[in-house]
Amino acid sequence: MVQLYLIKDLAKISGYSIYTLKYYLKIGLLKESGRFPETNFRYFDNNTLEQLKKIREFRRENKSISEIKQMLNSGV
């Protein structure tokens, strides 16, 4: 079953701040799953949580944002 999260929920669950998540969206490290038509709020799913876990692991390995972006785009 697919769970949908607003950015505030994603921040709470993942441990990242809303500002960090918005930054990751801005630079293309994360992508929203879609938007609610009535409110235009972004929503995210479980895949986004998995991607955030990978990002955290890469950051612990002292990878740069550009390295992480390349690794995620290549499917690592």
Side-chain angles (χ1 to χ4, degrees):
M1 186 167 131
V2 176
Q3 288 279 32
L4 298 180
Y5 308 99
L6 295 174
I7 197 164
K8 67 178 183 153
D9 303 321
L10 191 64
K12 192 180 294 184
I13 293 167
S14 69
Y16 284 97
S17 71
I18 292 174
Y19 300 106
T20 301
L21 295 175
K22 286 183 178 181
Y23 175 70
Y24 286 172
L25 286 163
K26 181 179 177 182
I27 63 171
L29 202 56
L30 286 180
K31 291 184 175 60
E32 61 195 40
S33 299
R35 289 189 180 249
F36 291 110
E38 306 86 33
T39 60
N40 207 29
F41 289 169
R42 298 173 216 181
Y43 64 85
F44 306 89
D45 59 17
N46 293 331
N47 293 331
T48 309
L49 279 175
E50 292 303 315
Q51 197 166 11
L52 285 169
K53 287 178 186 176
K54 288 181 187 177
I55 292 169
R56 179 161 278 136
E57 289 172 19
F58 292 144
R59 292 298 289 156
R60 285 186 179 143
E61 296 171 6
N62 294 319
K63 305 277 188 218
S64 70
I65 296 291
S66 60
E67 289 174 316
I68 294 171
K69 193 172 181 179
Q70 288 175 344
M71 293 169 80
L72 291 175
N73 288 337
S74 68
V76 173

